[in-house]
Amino acid sequence: MTSKKRSLIIIAVFILSLLIVLGILLLTQVNITVSTDDTTEEDTTMLLYDGDRDNIVSMVYYNEYGEFTVTQDDDGTFSIVELEGLNQNSTTLAAAGNCISSITAQSLVEENAEDLDKYGLSEDDPTAKVTVTLDDGTVYTVYYGIDSADSTSSTVYVRMGDSNDVYTVLSNSSRYFYYAKEDFISLIILSSLTSTSTSPTIDYMTVTRKDLDYDITFEDDTKNYATDEVSMASSQVMTSPVYAYLDITNSNDVIYGLWGLTASEAVCPFPTEEDMDYYGLSDPYCTVYIEAELQTYSLIIGNVASYVTDDSGNDTSEPAYYYGYYEGIDCVYIFAVDDLPWVTFMPVDILSSLMTSNYIYRVDYINVEFYEDGETTAYYFDVTADEDEDYLVATYENEFVDIDTFKVLYQFILKCPIDDLCLEDPDEDAELVCKMEIITETGGDVLEFYDDGNNRVTIKMNGTTSFSQPISYIQTLKTNIETFINGGTSDDILMAW
């Protein structure tokens, strides 16, 4: 057989194979039909009413919370007549006006329904009803019922007042009409301080609480305020139950917490004496009073409104919300406990780490005396300074000391930590272990440390029992002073004890 014939036979076999494969594919192919029909779901919405919010004169609400009237003034501001004199959420009221002016149904549920009660749409006792009066005298009523049975959408039943046809409308376009009038009261008590606004100067502030047998008072101390790194951190000082300086971070919510205070709920506008008694506001648990820049501010906090619940949903003894009343807004509110720092803080929580604050450029002398086994060891440092000239020198036993190391030692003295308040005088037989005098041009401070027998000292500041702290501070203070007078450097001064 010639090579030409062999090639023809191979080609023929290849073509035959292709034909066989093609036949198999044709016999086994899947019949796929592509539909070109429009599968878009039919739009069942329909416009029940189309008006203009600006034409509304009044809306009379009726629901489970009672009846009240909303009016619109010439400036387009909506307000509730029964709440005149209180700040109201006019934006929310205007949104309700929008919803009642344009009503779109999602679907028709029943034409000319005979049993309107099952939808919450009866004439005599609807779930909610709004009667609208327009500026041309037109009046129309919309009835809002219970949640619809359609679990796939968030809708409620509705009908127009002149018809028994029942429709569904979206819940978010009708929710306002189920509200109580109190829900439209503004919850902002005082506007927040912004980054560009100046914090008011708190001239005087007092916090009174039933769980404390003393008032906590604060006063402005700007005249004595110094900005150096060892001065007090805040221009306000605590004056009762003890005189003490404040930590500017920890005390900020207590001092300025009224600004930006927002309630969680408004519960009783225009309370009567009986209402004030009921909410515990006639005999409040806590009172906050502030005098600032010729204005007064007063917040009274009454009964616990609700308690924190445990994992089982049972009330604990920990308050979650309180009733409160702010003088100048005639309404009882509910406040979250997290927004009321005055009901929980303790004085020691907001104090600065500085027990005393005397600017080093104002110091005349420092005298520290230690008493042990009937012997007294005294250390006297004479200070001469002129802040304007940036001049500062100190001497010990008529010898000049290294001023940079002296500043570090002074920081240690100033940063004597307030471990706790102590309002009870030391026992009569308590031993005085240390006395520190820091005298300035205008006065200064005298601190006396008494051993209370429990590895702690009770501290009198200027003759008044004020603080308590570990006795280890006194021991470290003596070590630091001895290190300093023996030539130690700032690196040798211990800052912890």
Side-chain angles (χ1 to χ4, degrees):
M1 182 180 295
T2 65
S3 59
K4 184 177 180 179
K5 290 181 178 181
R6 283 197 300 270
S7 297
L8 291 173
I9 292 173
I10 292 171
I11 293 172
V13 171
F14 177 72
I15 293 172
L16 180 60
S17 299
L18 288 177
L19 291 174
I20 293 172
V21 171
L22 179 61
I24 294 173
L25 292 175
L26 290 173
L27 290 173
T28 60
Q29 70 176 348
V30 179
N31 183 23
I32 301 175
T33 302
V34 178
S35 173
T36 58
D37 295 339
D38 185 3
T39 59
T40 303
E41 186 177 339
E42 183 181 356
D43 184 6
T44 61
T45 61
M46 59 202 76
L47 190 63
L48 300 184
Y49 183 82
D50 188 22
D52 189 336
R53 186 192 73 183
D54 293 340
N55 295 332
I56 293 177
V57 174
S58 67
M59 300 182 289
V60 179
Y61 283 51
Y62 170 85
N63 55 41
E64 63 177 310
Y65 302 107
E67 184 175 293
F68 57 93
T69 301
V70 179
T71 60
Q72 180 177 201
D73 64 17
D74 294 338
D75 295 328
T77 301
F78 287 84
S79 60
I80 297 174
V81 174
E82 291 82 355
L83 297 178
E84 184 178 357
L86 295 178
N87 290 333
Q88 302 173 34
N89 194 330
S90 58
T91 301
T92 304
L93 289 168
N98 283 332
C99 292
I100 205 72
S101 298
S102 181
I103 304 172
T104 299
Q106 299 302 299
S107 63
L108 173 64
V109 178
E110 183 179 359
E111 284 190 84
N112 198 26
E114 294 184 2
D115 184 7
L116 293 173
D117 279 336
K118 69 179 182 180
Y119 300 110
L121 296 171
S122 67
E123 187 80 22
D124 298 330
D125 189 26
T127 305
K129 177 178 71 172
V130 183
T131 298
V132 183
T133 300
L134 304 179
D135 53 11
D136 64 359
T138 301
V139 178
Y140 66 93
T141 300
V142 184
Y143 292 83
Y144 293 92
I146 62 175
D147 291 341
S148 73
D150 184 1
S151 60
T152 63
S153 64
S154 180
T155 56
V156 298
Y157 297 116
V158 70
R159 73 177 179 91
M160 303 303 292
D162 57 354
S163 170
N164 281 5
D165 294 342
V166 176
Y167 301 88
T168 59
V169 295
L170 294 175
S171 299
N172 62 7
S173 68
S174 57
R175 65 185 185 276
Y176 305 109
F177 310 116
Y178 298 85
Y179 289 177
K181 65 180 182 296
E182 290 79 9
D183 294 326
F184 295 99
I185 297 175
S186 174
L187 300 178
I188 298 173
I189 305 302
L190 277 179
S191 299
S192 300
L193 297 172
T194 67
S195 58
T196 57
S197 60
T198 303
S199 300
T201 299
I202 308 299
D203 299 307
Y204 176 80
M205 177 178 180
T206 182
V207 178
T208 304
R209 283 213 317 254
K210 280 189 173 181
D211 65 327
L212 301 176
D213 56 6
Y214 52 82
D215 291 346
I216 307 172
T217 61
F218 307 92
E219 294 183 20
D220 179 60
D221 196 35
T222 304
K223 292 181 180 180
N224 296 319
Y225 179 74
T227 58
D228 71 302
E229 62 178 330
V230 296
S231 70
M232 62 184 181
S234 171
S235 61
Q236 274 72 42
V237 295
M238 181 185 295
T239 55
S240 173
V242 298
Y243 188 95
Y245 302 107
L246 306 181
D247 181 279
I248 195 169
T249 300
N250 294 339
S251 65
N252 191 64
D253 287 346
V254 172
I255 300 298
Y256 296 106
L258 279 184
W259 285 267
L261 177 63
T262 300
S264 299
E265 184 180 345
V267 294
C268 183
F270 314 115
T272 63
E273 288 186 12
E274 291 77 10
D275 293 327
M276 296 294 278
D277 287 340
Y278 176 79
Y279 294 112
L281 298 167
S282 299
D283 183 23
Y285 171 72
C286 177
T287 300
V288 181
Y289 174 79
I290 294 176
E291 295 176 4
E293 299 178 351
L294 303 180
Q295 295 189 59
T296 60
Y297 307 83
S298 181
L299 174 70
I300 56 178
I301 301 161
N303 294 339
V304 176
S306 63
Y307 292 88
V308 175
T309 56
D310 59 23
D311 294 338
S312 300
N314 300 315
D315 284 347
T316 66
S317 60
E318 180 182 354
Y321 294 88
Y322 283 89
Y323 295 110
Y325 182 91
Y326 178 77
E327 295 287 351
I329 303 178
D330 199 11
C331 182
V332 177
Y333 293 92
I334 290 177
F335 296 94
V337 69
D338 289 344
D339 295 325
L340 301 175
W342 311 280
V343 304
T344 56
F345 89 101
M346 296 301 290
V348 72
D349 298 335
I350 62 173
L351 299 189
S352 166
S353 62
L354 308 180
M355 185 178 302
T356 178
S357 176
N358 295 284
Y359 192 27
I360 195 169
Y361 279 91
R362 298 173 186 164
V363 173
D364 280 343
Y365 69 85
I366 300 171
N367 185 52
V368 184
E369 296 179 350
F370 297 95
Y371 309 100
E372 186 176 5
D373 298 330
E375 295 185 1
T376 300
T377 305
Y379 302 91
Y380 181 91
F381 300 93
D382 188 72
V383 182
T384 303
D386 187 332
E387 185 177 8
D388 294 334
E389 299 293 332
D390 193 24
Y391 176 75
L392 176 67
V393 296
T395 62
Y396 174 72
E397 294 185 344
N398 297 319
E399 296 287 337
F400 288 102
V401 299
D402 181 80
I403 200 63
D404 290 330
T405 305
F406 180 74
K407 287 181 178 180
V408 175
L409 175 65
Y410 189 61
Q411 287 183 42
F412 176 83
I413 292 173
L414 287 184
K415 293 183 178 179
C416 168
I418 299 173
D419 183 82
D420 201 357
L421 298 186
C422 183
L423 307 181
E424 296 183 5
D425 289 337
D427 294 337
E428 291 184 3
D429 58 351
E431 180 182 355
L432 177 64
V433 295
C434 178
K435 181 178 179 180
M436 182 189 304
E437 298 174 296
I438 304 175
I439 304 304
T440 68
E441 302 168 354
T442 56
D445 294 304
V446 177
L447 301 172
E448 297 170 289
F449 302 81
Y450 292 86
D451 189 350
D452 72 0
N454 296 302
N455 289 320
R456 299 182 65 81
V457 286
T458 298
I459 305 166
K460 284 187 175 183
M461 182 172 178
N462 299 322
T464 301
T465 303
S466 303
F467 311 113
S468 173
Q469 68 178 185
I471 199 171
S472 56
Y473 171 79
I474 300 300
Q475 297 163 346
T476 306
L477 173 64
K478 186 176 183 181
T479 298
N480 278 341
I481 292 177
E482 291 177 346
T483 298
F484 174 70
I485 64 175
N486 288 320
T489 68
S490 56
D491 293 336
D492 298 320
I493 302 297
L494 303 175
M495 301 304 289
W497 49 90

